[in-house]
Amino acid sequence: MDPETFRRDLGVWLDANAGELTPPYAGIASMDEQMAHYSKVKRALFDAGFGRYGWPESVGGLGGSPLLRAIVGEEINFRGLADPNAWTMIEVLAPTVIDLAPPELSARLVPPFLRGDEMWCQGFSEPDAGSDLASLSCRAVKTDGGWVVSGQKVWTSFIQYSQRCVLLTRTGEPDSAHRGITALLVDVDSPGITYSPIETMHGRLDFAEVHYDDVFVPEDRLLGEEDGGWQVAMDILPYERSTTFWHRGALLHRRFSDLVAQVADAGDFSDSSAQAVGQVLLSILAFRSRSRDTQYRLAEGQQLGVETSIDKILITSAEQKLFETARDLLPGVIEFDEGRDAEMWRTDYLYSKAASIYGGTAEIQRNIVARRLLDLGPES
């Protein structure tokens, strides 16, 4: 289907079903409420067909360009119809499972994820292996019919709502670094998995510390090749930095519009305020321009790689600039005010501080760009 026709038809359907799709809560709801509504929106989109376009027919999709998935998420986030962080997980994990899991497994497990009947999570970071992912130590030992996994993960998002976890494990020697990592698709209700939610400074329980104590994982849950998990991780990261960032860019555009409206209502559009708002808009548009190119490259079947670090740098800069500017132009709102608007600005402001950490720190992304794209590594 032509993307512009698809966007038009989707918009008509979203408008016609706004009563059902609009969150039943105002402002910041509980995670239980947000996840329940997220599932409802996903199921409605799937049943109407819009949530199936851009996905292969082998997993219940209707085919078509990945651009169609980008358009769906963009419209949902721009209209504020679902939690933006939960929305990202399917774009991060489903494409990799489709590419690397046994076909019969992905045909069985991916459709419930597309429908919103399931949530999946990503078990990468560990207490001693965050940005340095190659030093992870959560171990998987080969046994009859599969693996036995033992170890610890941290910063695992949405595990309390998840049925599956894409888990990176150490299958090589302790010092095998990226050469001895294996990726597995693990059922979260497997015996031996326990987790403890971690409250963030913006008052949510998005993350958890997870323990794996002799957890059995069947052999057909291997993603890619044994000891080939580093490549799986490298395949996931470009997906994380392509369509999901495009979706988040729509959220930033919506919040930018909110900021302009509130500053205008306050009658405080001085020259300095206008200049600050203009700088935010330039940052958002710079990211959107770069990300648009990434979407089209993905749609053309090009292999995404380290160049998506540029997308990460740009969206981090735009997000933090937006909410720092909101703090400056709405004085006292984030720090002291009560009510729905203040709570939303406060939550977004605090969450934006993590943008330069999650998914690869800003420093590491700049090092990648310098060394691998600009060839600015240290002289030999």
Side-chain angles (χ1 to χ4, degrees):
M1 180 182 292
D2 172 72
E4 290 308 312
T5 301
F6 181 80
R7 184 188 296 277
R8 182 198 63 208
D9 293 347
L10 173 63
V12 170
W13 182 81
L14 290 172
D15 290 341
N17 291 274
E20 176 186 0
L21 299 174
T22 300
Y25 45 80
I28 305 299
S30 69
M31 283 194 68
D32 287 349
E33 290 173 315
Q34 287 190 343
M35 294 304 295
H37 188 68
Y38 159 83
S39 296
K40 179 180 178 180
V41 171
K42 292 291 289 186
R43 185 56 185 260
L45 285 164
F46 188 91
D47 290 345
F50 294 106
R52 299 171 64 191
Y53 280 102
W55 296 102
E57 294 180 11
S58 62
V59 295
L62 295 175
S65 169
L67 286 175
L68 305 182
R69 305 201 315 254
I71 290 170
V72 172
E74 180 184 21
E75 292 294 332
I76 293 298
N77 278 281
F78 189 76
R79 295 164 185 253
L81 299 181
D83 176 61
N85 298 321
W87 196 273
T88 67
M89 299 310 296
I90 193 166
E91 290 292 342
V92 173
L93 300 177
T96 299
V97 170
I98 292 169
D99 289 344
L100 299 175
E104 62 277 8
L105 184 69
S106 59
R108 178 166 58 90
L109 296 185
V110 172
F113 195 14
L114 299 185
R115 286 196 303 266
D117 295 343
E118 291 189 0
M119 172 58 75
W120 294 4
C121 60
Q122 179 179 337
F124 280 26
S125 296
E126 298 181 6
D128 296 317
S131 296
D132 183 17
L133 192 59
S135 66
L136 65 85
S137 61
C138 181
R139 175 159 289 278
V141 177
K142 204 72 175 287
T143 189
D144 290 341
W147 289 266
V148 174
V149 177
S150 295
Q152 182 182 1
K153 297 288 180 179
V154 73
W155 313 124
T156 302
S157 300
F158 301 111
I159 191 170
Q160 67 268 46
Y161 299 99
S162 295
Q163 286 71 38
R164 324 284 170 202
C165 181
V166 175
L167 183 70
L168 293 187
T169 63
R170 172 73 56 199
T171 46
E173 296 300 318
D175 61 351
S176 58
H178 64 275
R179 298 181 304 277
I181 294 173
T182 296
L184 303 171
L185 183 61
V186 180
D187 292 342
V188 172
D189 63 357
S190 299
I193 298 178
T194 56
Y195 52 84
S196 302
I198 299 171
E199 184 173 357
T200 63
M201 66 179 177
H202 67 309
R204 287 174 58 87
L205 300 173
D206 289 357
F207 308 119
E209 178 182 52
V210 188
H211 292 269
Y212 297 83
D213 298 308
D214 295 332
V215 177
F216 176 74
V217 182
E219 60 187 358
D220 70 342
R221 297 305 185 87
L222 175 68
L223 298 179
E225 299 179 357
E226 184 175 347
D227 293 332
W230 183 257
Q231 187 57 51
V232 175
M234 295 304 99
D235 288 345
I236 282 178
L237 288 176
Y239 282 120
E240 182 178 338
R241 295 168 186 167
S242 55
T243 308
T244 61
F245 281 1
W246 181 256
H247 294 168
R248 190 153 191 86
L251 166 69
L252 298 184
H253 201 284
R254 172 166 58 86
R255 296 299 278 144
F256 172 78
S257 298
D258 293 341
L259 174 62
V260 171
Q262 290 190 31
V263 172
D265 287 345
D268 189 32
F269 250 130
S270 62
D271 288 345
S272 61
S273 296
Q275 184 175 15
V277 166
Q279 290 299 314
V280 173
L281 180 59
L282 284 176
S283 292
I284 293 175
L285 292 179
F287 160 72
R288 296 280 279 175
S289 177
R290 170 73 190 188
S291 185
R292 182 183 183 278
D293 180 65
T294 300
Q295 307 318 307
Y296 277 91
R297 291 178 55 229
L298 183 65
E300 292 167 359
Q302 296 185 32
Q303 185 70 35
L304 302 181
V306 295
E307 73 282 352
T308 57
S309 289
I310 298 174
D311 300 57
K312 176 66 165 67
I313 292 168
L314 289 175
I315 195 170
T316 295
S317 176
E319 181 160 353
Q320 293 184 342
K321 186 183 293 290
L322 167 61
F323 294 113
E324 283 291 348
T325 301
R327 182 171 179 261
D328 291 341
L329 299 186
L330 303 174
V333 169
I334 288 174
E335 294 91 339
F336 306 116
D337 282 8
E338 302 295 335
R340 185 187 70 177
D341 285 346
E343 184 181 22
M344 292 181 66
W345 284 118
R346 185 157 46 246
T347 296
D348 287 340
Y349 174 82
L350 293 173
Y351 188 82
S352 73
K353 297 306 176 184
S356 51
I357 301 173
Y358 62 68
T361 66
E363 294 81 2
I364 287 178
Q365 301 312 305
R366 286 178 169 82
N367 281 341
I368 290 172
V369 170
R371 293 175 182 173
R372 300 188 63 183
L373 296 179
L374 301 178
D375 197 24
L376 298 177
E379 295 183 4
S380 57

